[in-house]
Amino acid sequence: MQYDLVFEGGGAKGGAFTGAIRAFERRGYTVGRVIGSSAGSIVAVLIAAGYDAAACQHALEQKLPDGRSVFASFLDTPNLDADDQMSAGLRSWLITELDNPALPNSIEPVVDRLMDGLVSKELVRHLLSLLLWGGWYSGKAFRSWLRDRLDQDGRGLADATLLEFYQKTGSDFSAVAADVTGREMLVLNHRTAPECPIIWAVRMSMGCPFAWPEVVWHAEWGPYRGRDLTGHRVVDGGLLSNFPIRLFVSSDENIDQIMGENSISDQVIGLLIDETIPVPGVDEPLKHTSAATGILEHLDLLQESVWRIQGLADTVLGGHDRTVLAAYEHMVCRLPAKAIGTLDFDMPPERMSALVAAGETAMYAYLDALENRHN
C-alpha cells in the first residue's frame, strides 16, 4: 500500500526519520507524494530522489576527514573572500557606509585593505554574515553536500529545476518556505515554481533565520504561481508551517492549485518529531563543542537563542498546524526526540543510533495500530 509522507522540521532531530522509513519499508509500504518543511524537506527530497532507508543511513554515517559527522560541516564559517556575491555585497556596503564628503576620494584602496583585514578573522566573518545577510553560518557546505547526494549513483539531479526533477524521478516533491518580503508561505513544487532549482528550493526551506543567510529569489528561477518574486527574501518554512500535513488532507481550492487536483488523501502519514518522548539510552542534552571555540566562548548561547526565536515564531504563526494535527491525530506518527538538540549535527554515533532506533520502534508501533484499525 502507498502512503503520502509529511516530514516535520527539526534539524538534527530528523535522524529519527531514517529509522521510521526503515520500518515503513520493511512492512512493505511504498512512498507516494512527499512534503517537508525546514530539515524535513531534506529527507523528503532524498526520498523523492530514490533514496531508501539504507541509503539514508549511509548518509547519516558519513564522516569528515577529521572524524566528525559530515553534518557538522553545515555549521560552516562564512568565507566572504571566496564568495563573490557576499564579498561584493560587503565591499559595496563598506563603500556606502564610508562615503562621506569629508573623506578623500581615494577611499576604495582603504576599503580593500579593510576588507582583507576583516575577512581574515573568523568571528568577524560570522558577525558580518549575520548582520548583512541574516545568518551566522554560510550554508555553502549544505548545498555542496546536497548536490553530491542528488548526483550520487548517476542520478544527475543536482542541477535540475523542480519541473525537471519531477520529470526525471516521477516523484511529487514539495518543500515549504517563508517569503518574508511578500509575507506568505511558499509551497515549492513543479506546479508552483517549475523553474526554481531543486537545490535552492530545499536550501530556502531549511534556512533558519539567524542561523543561515536568507535566500534572495533570482529572476532566472522564474515566477511562483505566476508571480514575480525577484528580490524577495526567503527563509525557513518552519516559520509558517513546520508540519504541513494540512496540504495533503484539507479541502480548499487554493490548496488544489498548489498540490494538484484531487490532492486530498486519507493515505497520509505525518512524521512528527516529539521532544516530549524520551529516546531510550539518551538521558541528557548533548554538550556542544562549538565550531568557533576560542573565538566566541558562548557561541552555543547564541545558537540556542537563534532556535528559540524560531520556536517563538512557530508558536505564534503555526497555530494552523496544531489545529489540523488535533483533527488528524490518527495520521501522525510521533518520533521520540527528547534531549536531542536541533543543532546536534555532530552527535556521537551511539547517540545517533539510539535516535534512529527510536524512530524505527515508533513507526512499527504506529503501523501496528494502523493495521489493527483496518482489520
Side-chain angles (χ1 to χ4, degrees), residues 164-222:
E164 291 167 343
F165 182 88
Y166 172 71
Q167 291 171 335
K168 291 180 178 180
T169 65
S171 297
D172 194 332
F173 161 79
S174 298
V176 177
D179 177 0
V180 296
T181 301
R183 299 183 180 181
E184 67 170 325
M185 183 174 79
L186 305 180
V187 182
L188 304 171
N189 58 41
H190 67 280
R191 289 173 290 267
T192 62
E195 299 172 56
C196 178
I198 185 75
I199 288 216
W200 281 107
V202 179
R203 169 63 183 82
M204 284 186 273
S205 182
M206 60 78 67
C208 174
F210 308 110
W212 290 281
E214 60 198 15
V215 175
V216 178
W217 191 283
H218 294 197
E220 58 266 30
W221 296 353

